Amino acid sequence: MSYVQPNENSNARLAGLIGVVVFHAVMGYALVNGLARKIVEVVTQPLETKIIEEIKPPPQEKPPPPPPPPKLAAPPPPYIPPPEIQVQVPQVAPAITAVTRVKPTQPVAAPGTRFEPAPKPKPKPAPKPAPRPAPIYKPPVVDAKACEKPAYPVASLRRQESGIVLLAFLIDVNGSAVESKIERSSGYRRLDEAARNALALCKFKPATTDGKPERAWAKIEYEWKLQ
């Protein structure tokens, strides 16, 4: 049994262990001093990039334009023969060559013809006169308030007579009453006559036709009333 082999193995293990410790110490030192960062900076260098332009295809040539259509000449117009025109020559009656100095009383007819006098023109009817406008008539104006109040008959007062008299009377162009008649009696002759006499105290507006005064009849009532 040999004792030399175990010493050699222990030396080899010790040398390996020392190497491992030295490696870790070197790595730690490198990490502390930034050696690893330099290594990374060396590894990670900037990359250069280049833009490659896109290769465009060559432009296509345009096709040539089509040739213009051929010009066609218009056909000649059809021949139309001119129409035949027949000119009729008017026949002239034979002129009378005989001349006389005697003035005829009637027109002379050609030989072999019968003379007929020209018809006389009919007289034009006389124009109708324009229609006259209708006359404007205005009736007389009778206003009882314009009459003076007549006196009450004394005999009628004593006998207590009263009533209404309707009179028709003729108004002259000057507005006075020239004629009267009783249309309806009051029942008492004295009151009727007193009403007729009272017309002389009145003045009326006469009737007119186109502004001219004229005579006209009118009516009026007198009321005899006891107080």
Side-chain angles (χ1 to χ4, degrees):
M1 182 175 181
S2 177
Y3 295 97
V4 177
Q5 188 68 29
N7 290 332
E8 291 180 358
N9 289 337
S10 60
N11 292 331
R13 288 177 182 180
L14 181 59
L17 181 59
I18 292 170
V20 171
V21 172
V22 171
F23 176 76
H24 282 85
V26 172
M27 289 300 294
Y29 177 79
L31 291 176
V32 172
N33 292 333
L35 182 61
R37 184 177 60 185
K38 292 182 180 180
I39 296 173
V40 172
E41 288 179 359
V42 172
V43 173
T44 58
Q45 292 181 356
L47 300 177
E48 293 183 1
T49 57
K50 292 183 180 181
I51 298 174
I52 301 174
E53 294 183 358
E54 182 182 359
I55 299 174
K56 296 182 180 180
Q60 297 180 0
E61 296 182 357
K62 295 183 179 180
K71 295 183 179 180
L72 301 177
Y79 174 75
I80 300 175
E84 296 182 359
I85 301 174
Q86 296 180 0
V87 180
Q88 294 182 359
V89 181
Q91 297 180 1
V92 182
I96 299 174
T97 57
V99 179
T100 179
R101 295 182 178 180
V102 180
K103 185 178 180 181
T105 57
Q106 293 182 355
V108 178
T113 60
R114 183 179 178 183
F115 173 75
E116 293 182 359
K120 296 181 179 180
K122 295 182 179 180
K124 295 182 179 180
K128 295 182 180 180
R132 297 181 60 185
I136 300 174
Y137 174 77
K138 292 183 179 182
V141 178
V142 178
D143 188 5
K145 295 180 181 180
C147 299
E148 295 183 10
K149 190 175 182 180
Y152 211 103
V154 179
S156 297
L157 284 173
R158 287 198 301 264
R159 297 188 180 188
Q160 299 293 308
E161 295 174 354
S162 64
I164 299 175
V165 184
L166 177 61
L167 299 176
F169 59 99
L170 180 63
I171 301 175
D172 201 359
V173 293
N174 58 0
S176 61
V178 295
E179 187 181 347
S180 63
K181 58 184 178 180
I182 299 172
E183 290 284 329
R184 186 178 67 248
S185 174
S186 63
Y188 301 98
R189 186 177 178 180
R190 282 184 291 269
L191 296 178
D192 295 344
E193 291 300 326
R196 292 182 63 184
N197 296 332
L199 289 175
L201 304 175
C202 298
K203 199 71 174 180
F204 305 100
K205 187 176 182 180
T208 57
T209 300
D210 291 338
K212 295 181 179 181
E214 61 181 19
R215 286 187 171 188
W217 284 87
K219 293 181 180 182
I220 191 172
E221 283 184 346
Y222 273 93
E223 183 179 9
W224 301 99
K225 186 177 180 180
L226 296 171
Q227 299 296 334

